[in-house]
Amino acid sequence: MEWTDEGIVLGVRRHGETSAIVELLTRGHGRHLGLVRGGAGKRMRPWLQPGNSVRAVWRARLDEHLGYYVIEGTRLRAATVLASSHAVYGVTHLASLARLLPERDPHEDIYEMLDRTLDDFDDIGEAAAHLIRFELAMLAELGFGLDLEACAATGETSDLVYVSPKSGGAVSRQAGDPWRDRLLRLPPFLRASAGGPNRWSDQDLQDGFALTGLFLLRHVLEPRGQGHSDARDGFINAVSRHLARVSSAL
């Protein structure tokens, strides 16, 4: 058995004296592990960092075996990521989300979205918005997508400003105002008609994380006996601190 694919490093653990077991999210073969001979050495270490993009050749005698990787780095993001705490938290959290996918099951749209998200950590606010969208996409990929296209109560497609915490459906302003204290806020950057990617505020980001966080916890994490990762909390706190500093300086 042999294949070649693009991949993003999710994690690495040492195996023996010199080797490492590397976990990749690949474009065509999904989340996939393999043994890298010499993966614990200095030469391979810069390539085998979470968030890096690689070209991987996987070989095994049988498809169900762990197999071996031969890996070549193609986009080494780790050096940039390590320069900021929010990026370290963000990459760690993205990897934990990708691990929710079943092993060896292709998810090409998620792969491409992860690749784009990892390229956009320079602007902390944009990184937060992208990460929220990625969490929303993961919910859909795992079968728990939110319906944010039309009002769950009236069918209207305009002025959608709330989300029902029970159904995960959008709710229009007119239908939701009487029960707004019981509803989640739908931030403008998650609405289909909201416009450009820069239309968000600190409150929008907080609302976005509250929205995706609730449904991830209820439908995905708690049934597995898990909670939100510490990295997610660290990323959110880093974003809040940064935006507070920017606001106080204005």
Side-chain angles (χ1 to χ4, degrees):
M1 303 295 299
E2 180 176 330
W3 49 256
T4 302
D5 204 350
E6 303 170 29
I8 296 169
V9 179
L10 300 180
V12 180
R13 65 178 186 268
R14 195 181 185 107
H15 184 80
E17 291 296 320
T18 61
S19 298
I21 295 175
V22 178
E23 183 180 23
L24 303 178
L25 182 64
T26 63
R27 180 184 294 277
H29 298 83
R31 187 171 63 86
H32 207 291
L33 283 77
L35 184 71
V36 176
R37 293 190 177 99
K42 292 182 179 179
R43 186 180 71 84
M44 293 295 298
R45 196 173 301 149
W47 295 355
L48 303 181
Q49 297 294 323
N52 282 347
S53 290
V54 299
R55 178 181 179 272
V57 179
W58 181 82
R59 298 186 181 96
R61 191 170 64 84
L62 297 174
D63 185 60
E64 60 266 25
H65 287 177
L66 173 65
Y68 295 88
Y69 274 137
V70 176
I71 286 179
E72 176 186 356
T74 58
R75 191 176 184 107
L76 306 185
R77 303 181 179 93
T80 302
V81 166
L82 291 173
S84 58
S85 62
H86 78 272
V88 173
Y89 285 130
V91 171
T92 304
H93 176 51
L94 286 167
S96 73
L97 290 171
R99 290 191 184 96
L100 297 171
L101 298 169
E103 194 175 345
R104 303 192 179 193
D105 187 10
H107 297 270
E108 187 167 345
D109 289 345
I110 290 293
Y111 172 86
E112 291 181 354
M113 191 172 188
L114 177 61
D115 194 46
R116 293 194 302 270
T117 301
L118 288 167
D119 281 338
D120 207 9
F121 273 102
D122 290 341
D123 185 318
I124 189 170
E126 281 300 301
H130 285 311
L131 202 149
I132 292 166
R133 292 190 186 101
F134 187 81
E135 291 187 336
L136 202 62
M138 283 294 301
L139 279 166
E141 197 74 11
L142 295 168
F144 304 103
L146 308 186
D147 183 2
L148 305 181
E149 302 298 320
C151 177
T154 66
E156 295 177 6
T157 58
S158 61
D159 205 20
L160 304 176
V161 298
Y162 303 113
V163 176
S164 167
K166 293 183 178 180
S167 69
V171 180
S172 68
R173 189 185 309 275
Q174 182 178 2
D177 270 350
W179 296 277
R180 60 181 174 270
D181 292 340
R182 304 179 187 178
L183 299 173
L184 298 165
R185 183 173 176 270
L186 176 59
F189 71 90
L190 293 182
R191 302 177 209 160
S193 60
N198 293 320
R199 296 186 60 179
W200 50 260
S201 66
D202 186 12
Q203 186 61 53
D204 291 334
L205 296 178
Q206 293 179 37
D207 291 336
F209 279 118
L211 175 64
T212 54
L214 173 68
F215 291 102
L216 278 170
L217 197 62
R218 179 191 297 167
H219 294 307
V220 180
L221 298 173
E222 287 183 343
R224 302 174 186 223
Q226 301 176 18
H228 286 303
S229 68
D230 292 340
R232 185 181 194 268
D233 294 337
F235 179 81
I236 294 171
N237 290 335
V239 172
S240 296
R241 289 194 301 268
H242 173 81
L243 294 179
R245 287 196 299 270
V246 170
S247 178
S248 63
L250 296 178

